[in-house]
Amino acid sequence: MDPAHERQELRRIERWLAVNDPGLAAALSAPGAGPRQANRRSIRLTIDLLGVVCVLTGVLTGVLTLIFVGMLVLMAGACLHTTCRR
């Protein structure tokens, strides 16, 4: 596809968004928008801690479901760590 055509389509979409949802258009075009809420360092570390606590509690009590849930939480935390912008 031609880059000029793509820019034209993008401008058309931006105009449509500005007419139909001006609040969203303003939020998307705001300079220096902050980081996404789910990817803040404190939230990532809290998720890691929750996962470790679940796994350790599951190991100490012998509840396999808790170990599984803890592993899922740790995998979600790993995904957040790898996708964060530094």
Side-chain angles (χ1 to χ4, degrees):
M1 190 176 266
D2 181 28
H5 177 68
E6 289 179 358
R7 281 192 300 274
Q8 181 183 8
E9 285 295 311
L10 181 58
R11 280 190 218 105
R12 185 183 64 77
I13 292 170
E14 288 172 345
R15 283 191 306 268
W16 178 86
L17 183 61
V19 168
N20 290 311
D21 195 350
L24 179 59
L28 291 175
S29 64
R36 292 183 305 189
Q37 186 73 6
N39 226 0
R40 291 191 179 182
R41 175 181 275 186
S42 60
I43 294 176
R44 291 191 315 260
L45 294 177
T46 302
I47 289 173
D48 292 340
L49 182 63
L50 178 65
V52 169
V53 167
C54 285
V55 169
L56 289 178
T57 304
V59 168
L60 294 175
T61 60
V63 178
L64 294 177
T65 305
L66 196 54
I67 296 171
F68 180 72
V69 168
M71 295 302 289
L72 288 177
V73 171
L74 285 173
M75 285 191 294
C79 290
L80 288 176
H81 281 288
T82 57
T83 60
C84 74
R85 288 181 252 152
R86 299 190 191 271

